[in-house]
Amino acid sequence: MNKRFAVLGQDARLQAAARALTAAGQTLATPEQADCILLGVRLEASSPDLVLALGRARPGAQLFGGAVSSGAAAAARAAGFVLRDYMQWEELALLNAIPTAEGCLALLMQGRRTTLWGSELLVLGYGRVGQAIGRRALALGMAVSAVDRLPARRAAAEADGCRAWEAEALAAAADGADTVVNTVPAPLMDAATLARLAPGARVIELAGHGAADPDAAARLGVCLVPAPGLPGKYAPDTAGRFIARAVLSILKQAEQEERG
């Protein structure tokens, strides 16, 4: 498979993706010449690169973006283009958990006066990212508890060596934890739950919305650490390679489906 790609945007991940695409035998081109146009993450209808792509892309070109908003998707459809969201591709979601977990561990080690070994970590949500963090934390000697509403994920936590808790038991799970890593975009930790953490505990917020009540955290001396988008911040070259890999996989699958 050889496609002509236009890569729009200055994000370091996109530049790394462009290098990965050429290394994989693809050709870089202008939007007017491209078979495929690769756009950045957090794509909105008003994103300059999307506006540029819709104005210059040739008919039939395929567009790829990350975390595509409904408005961006609608704008593409109105202009006669299909806009695929590479962040929804399972392969990329699994791979992105790697730099997210490593970036999270780097945050866990910052400003500490004690080792990670022997410390108490509470992971909220044991999906792809939670599992990647939990397994690495266990390997470093941390005592890990995981809270998830899904039985299968709690079973995965137990299989990994974590203590698994139902969502309804979050307050009990928080007892004595010195660090919380949140992967769930929902307000989960009220004042009563935060009060059960160890003194001076930190809450690392990986999800888009904070799990902890910020006013209660400030009163109780709990440090909230916002940390969205770690792949792009911690390892943009790796994250860019993963994006290129996902886009090529999406194209390959589409071609296979067309051939039947």
Side-chain angles (χ1 to χ4, degrees), residues 20-58:
L21 288 168
T22 56
Q26 311 306 307
T27 302
L28 297 184
T30 66
E32 293 85 354
Q33 300 168 327
D35 305 305
C36 305
I37 298 179
L38 181 59
L39 301 162
V41 181
R42 306 280 177 240
L43 205 61
E44 302 288 342
S46 59
S47 296
D49 295 329
L50 176 60
V51 173
L52 175 64
L54 296 180
R56 295 175 57 185
R58 67 181 184 83

Side-chain angles (χ1 to χ4, degrees), residues 145-166:
S145 292
V147 174
D148 203 290
R149 62 183 179 83
L150 298 179
R153 289 184 179 177
R154 294 197 298 273
E158 287 186 74
D160 285 343
C162 304
R163 188 175 182 186
W165 299 79
E166 295 183 2

Side-chain angles (χ1 to χ4, degrees), residues 11-14 16-17 20 41 86-87 92 95-96 99-100 229-246:
D11 187 307
R13 286 171 291 186
L14 291 180
V41 181
Y86 50 72
M87 296 298 286
L92 180 57
L95 291 171
N96 257 348
T100 299
L230 284 182
K233 297 173 183 175
Y234 175 75
D237 286 1
T238 301
R241 290 199 303 271
F242 289 162
I243 290 172
R245 176 173 164 177

Side-chain angles (χ1 to χ4, degrees), residues 119-181:
S119 63
E120 299 276 347
L121 173 65
L122 174 60
V123 180
L124 304 184
Y126 209 69
R128 293 176 293 251
V129 171
Q131 290 172 29
I133 293 168
R135 291 165 186 164
R136 286 161 174 77
L138 287 165
L140 292 171
M142 301 182 80
V144 181
S145 292
V147 174
D148 203 290
R149 62 183 179 83
L150 298 179
R153 289 184 179 177
R154 294 197 298 273
E158 287 186 74
D160 285 343
C162 304
R163 188 175 182 186
W165 299 79
E166 295 183 2
E168 294 76 14
L170 173 57
D175 223 12
D178 56 60
T179 306
V180 179
V181 172

Side-chain angles (χ1 to χ4, degrees), residues 42-46 50 66-78 83 85:
R42 306 280 177 240
L43 205 61
E44 302 288 342
S46 59
L50 176 60
V68 175
S69 71
S70 58
R77 283 195 302 272
L83 174 57
D85 190 339

Side-chain angles (χ1 to χ4, degrees), residues 200-213:
R202 289 194 297 167
V203 178
I204 311 295
E205 294 282 11
L206 301 184
H209 302 280
D213 180 333

